[in-house]
Amino acid sequence: MPELNNPAIVAEVTAMSDLYEQALAENRIATLDGLFYDGPETVRYGVGENLYGAAEIAAFRRARTGGSPPRRVLRRVITALGPDVATVDLEFQRTGSTRIGRQSQAWIRTDDGWKVIAAHVSLMADIS
C-alpha cells in the first residue's frame, strides 16, 4: 500500500499547483508547456477539446487568443499517492460566471521535476 499524503510530497505538489495557477492566470505559455510531461502519453480533456500528446496541448495553448478566462479557485484537494505520483483536484469559478468548473490533474515526478501527465477540465450546469 502506498503512503498517502506524505506532508513533504503534498507541499511539493502544492507549490507546483500554485505555479500552474499563476502561469494560467498570466498566460505564461512556456511555463505551462514546461509543467506538462513532454510525451505522447500526456492527455488533456478540456471544456471543448480532447488533446492527446504534449504537442497537441501546446498547439492548443498557442491558438487560444488571450489565454484561459480568469478564474478563482474555490476548493483544492491534493493527494500524494506515494513519493512520485499525486493528484490535484480543484473547483473554480470563472470571473463573471455563475458556473462551477472542475479540474483534475495527475502529476508524476520525473528527472525534470513534477509534471502533469493527465488533466481534465469541465464546467457544471449554470447554477443561477
Side-chain angles (χ1 to χ4, degrees):
M1 178 89 171
E3 177 189 4
L4 293 179
N5 293 328
N6 176 299
I9 303 304
V10 171
E12 289 176 20
V13 177
T14 298
M16 297 308 296
S17 177
D18 290 345
L19 178 61
Y20 177 88
E21 287 299 314
Q22 183 178 17
L24 189 66
E26 297 171 0
N27 198 32
R28 293 190 344 233
I29 293 172
T31 300
L32 291 167
D33 287 347
L35 290 172
F36 275 70
Y37 181 75
D38 187 13
E41 305 85 356
T42 305
V43 176
R44 180 187 177 276
Y45 294 148
V47 173
E49 66 285 336
N50 295 331
L51 305 169
Y52 296 91
E56 282 187 19
I57 295 167
F60 166 78
R61 281 199 194 92
R62 281 160 180 69
R64 184 167 57 178
T65 305
S68 180
R71 70 187 197 179
R72 174 174 59 102
V73 173
L74 304 174
R75 183 174 183 174
R76 179 173 64 177
V77 176
I78 296 175
T79 305
L81 303 172
D84 300 319
V85 179
T87 60
V88 176
D89 297 285
L90 59 84
E91 292 180 38
F92 64 88
Q93 189 169 30
R94 290 178 172 169
T95 302
S97 176
T98 57
R99 295 178 80 181
I100 300 298
R102 298 170 291 188
Q103 174 181 290
S104 296
Q105 297 172 326
W107 290 76
I108 59 170
R109 185 192 304 273
T110 71
D111 291 341
D112 296 322
W114 286 97
K115 305 290 179 181
V116 175
I117 195 161
H120 186 182
V121 181
S122 62
L123 296 172
M124 296 177 67
D126 194 339
I127 59 173
S128 63

